[in-house]
Amino acid sequence: MTKIALNFEDGVTRFIDAMAGETVADAAYRSQINIPMDCRDGACGTCKCQWESGQFEMDDYIEDALSDQEAEAGKVLTCCMIAATDCVINVPALSEMCVRTVMADIHAEVVALNRLSPSTLSFTLASDQIRAMHFLPGQYVNLQVPGTDQTRAYSFSSLVQEDRGAVSFLIRVVPDGLMSSWLVNDAKPGDTMTLRGPFGSFYLRDVKRPLLMLAGGTGLAPFLAMLEKLERDGCPQPVHLIYGVTNDGDLVEMDKLEDFAARIDNFSFTACAANPDAEYPVKGFVTHHMDDGVLHNGDLDIYLCGPPPMVDAVNGFMTDKGIKPVNFYYEKFASS
């Protein structure tokens, strides 16, 4: 049995299990997900999706449904596609048009709270429901603020710790913020929180070329989950992370990054503080440390998670340098 991640246009991801010899479309239908289609035999092209990763077989379709050029570009017909390994597929439709089940809430207990600095906090949630949860490293969930109907979006900062069914999060402490105030003033181990997700199209793809990861502040969170996966699966390509913060107190989880650098072949990182009065010796913005050695003449994939001005600054820097990466994936975030 293989596991398939279906990413929809609105950022919702659904995981399905496909039995041996079962097409992706049939596996989705069995899981109450209707991928748009008409013919079910490779003749119409209605079920055409974009392959992202994994191995598969696909036969018995006509060129009117899928041209050779489209196949070379990674297009697939889910009514003919049989997964040989776990796969990721982008579905060009909204989830509400396809998913016939309501997304269930996940309930979990707070098992750890750690104030890493005046500006940053990490916490860990655990439950049997989380043990069975599936997400791609880089994605996020909506967490309900206890005692309210408000939710906040946070990226996973770890993979699922299967031994105890736990996941972790890294958040910026926002003065008078609804979730920040609860976590800092009221939360304690044993409290229950409700999650819904996963969401988002910002996630680690198959590593086929050098990677440059750019993290702004607590935008480090999804990269910690990605690095866990790279450590687990191995990575033959060079990976460099540039982690930019404003002040010394925003610089956290450096010990984890040092550990990843020691355990992951070809991984290195640079941290920098933008405030010229910071004590941390490396100063500047992430763009000040994007030298030719990490840009690989554009033959790389860039992942960026940070505030909108950071995304704009990196885009402007790449334009000025005349470098266009093979892929540029980014997640903009802002405090609620």
Side-chain angles (χ1 to χ4, degrees):
M1 185 172 290
T2 57
K3 189 168 296 295
I4 299 166
L6 301 175
N7 297 325
F8 295 91
E9 281 187 339
D10 49 1
V12 174
T13 299
R14 286 289 177 272
F15 291 83
I16 62 173
D17 293 317
M19 297 181 292
E22 186 178 35
T23 67
V24 171
D26 286 342
Y29 187 79
R30 184 168 48 78
S31 299
Q32 297 189 318
I33 297 174
N34 293 327
I35 296 176
M37 68 175 63
D38 287 332
C39 69
R40 304 189 74 89
D41 60 5
C44 72
T46 305
C47 68
K48 193 180 302 176
C49 295
Q50 178 67 46
W51 166 86
E52 278 283 347
S53 67
Q55 299 177 13
F56 62 93
E57 298 177 357
M58 188 171 61
D59 299 308
D60 300 327
Y61 62 88
I62 64 174
E63 188 171 357
D64 285 346
L66 185 72
S67 68
D68 291 341
Q69 292 82 1
E70 288 177 316
E72 290 174 1
K75 299 294 183 182
V76 293
L77 298 178
T78 56
C79 71
C80 300
M81 177 185 178
I82 298 175
T85 66
D86 293 351
C87 291
V88 178
I89 300 169
N90 294 336
V91 182
L94 298 176
S95 62
E96 62 184 9
M97 297 172 56
C98 305
V99 179
R100 294 186 285 137
T101 56
V102 177
M103 184 180 292
D105 289 338
I106 296 173
H107 305 288
E109 286 189 357
V110 176
V111 295
L113 288 160
N114 187 9
R115 187 70 177 266
L116 301 177
S117 76
S119 67
T120 312
L121 180 148
S122 69
F123 62 99
T124 302
L125 305 178
S127 73
D128 288 338
Q129 285 180 295
I130 285 179
R131 184 176 285 109
M133 190 178 191
H134 300 287
F135 61 88
L136 301 170
Q139 290 190 299
Y140 67 91
V141 290
N142 288 328
L143 275 168
Q144 186 173 344
V145 183
T148 76
D149 60 357
Q150 298 295 305
T151 62
R152 297 292 183 266
Y154 296 117
S155 299
F156 297 98
S157 62
S158 74
L159 301 181
V160 175
Q161 303 162 35
E162 295 184 0
D163 57 337
R164 58 176 182 160
V167 288
S168 297
F169 301 89
L170 181 71
I171 75 163
R172 177 171 175 258
V173 177
V174 179
D176 300 319
L178 194 61
M179 181 68 84
S180 296
S181 297
W182 182 80
L183 287 168
V184 170
N185 300 320
D186 302 312
K188 60 186 182 301
D191 286 344
T192 299
M193 298 191 74
T194 301
L195 307 78
R196 178 167 289 191
F199 300 104
S201 57
F202 182 75
Y203 55 85
L204 182 65
R205 275 74 171 175
D206 278 355
V207 181
K208 300 178 180 178
R209 57 189 62 86
L211 301 186
L212 177 59
M213 299 175 168
L214 304 174
T218 51
L220 179 66
F223 295 116
L224 295 176
M226 291 182 187
L227 289 170
E228 274 194 31
K229 181 171 175 58
L230 292 178
E231 179 188 3
R232 186 188 69 188
D233 297 349
C235 181
Q237 298 285 349
V239 179
H240 187 68
L241 167 70
I242 305 176
Y243 171 31
V245 300
T246 302
N247 300 301
D248 292 311
D250 304 323
L251 203 61
V252 298
E253 303 288 33
M254 293 291 285
D255 55 340
K256 286 188 178 180
L257 295 179
E258 294 284 0
D259 288 343
F260 283 130
R263 297 194 301 261
I264 301 174
D265 292 339
N266 304 316
F267 171 67
S268 59
F269 74 94
T270 300
C272 56
N275 188 341
D277 296 324
E279 294 183 4
Y280 193 72
V282 183
K283 302 294 195 298
F285 299 102
V286 295
T287 50
H288 296 153
H289 303 278
M290 293 169 58
D291 57 32
D292 293 341
V294 302
L295 291 175
H296 299 276
N297 294 317
D299 183 26
L300 81 165
D301 292 339
I302 295 179
Y303 291 80
L304 186 160
C305 185
M310 180 180 174
V311 177
D312 296 338
V314 170
N315 269 320
F317 175 87
M318 299 295 289
T319 299
D320 292 342
K321 292 278 287 186
I323 291 178
K324 184 177 181 180
V326 177
N327 293 295
F328 184 16
Y329 308 106
Y330 60 86
E331 182 94 295
K332 295 182 181 180
F333 66 78
S335 300
S336 298

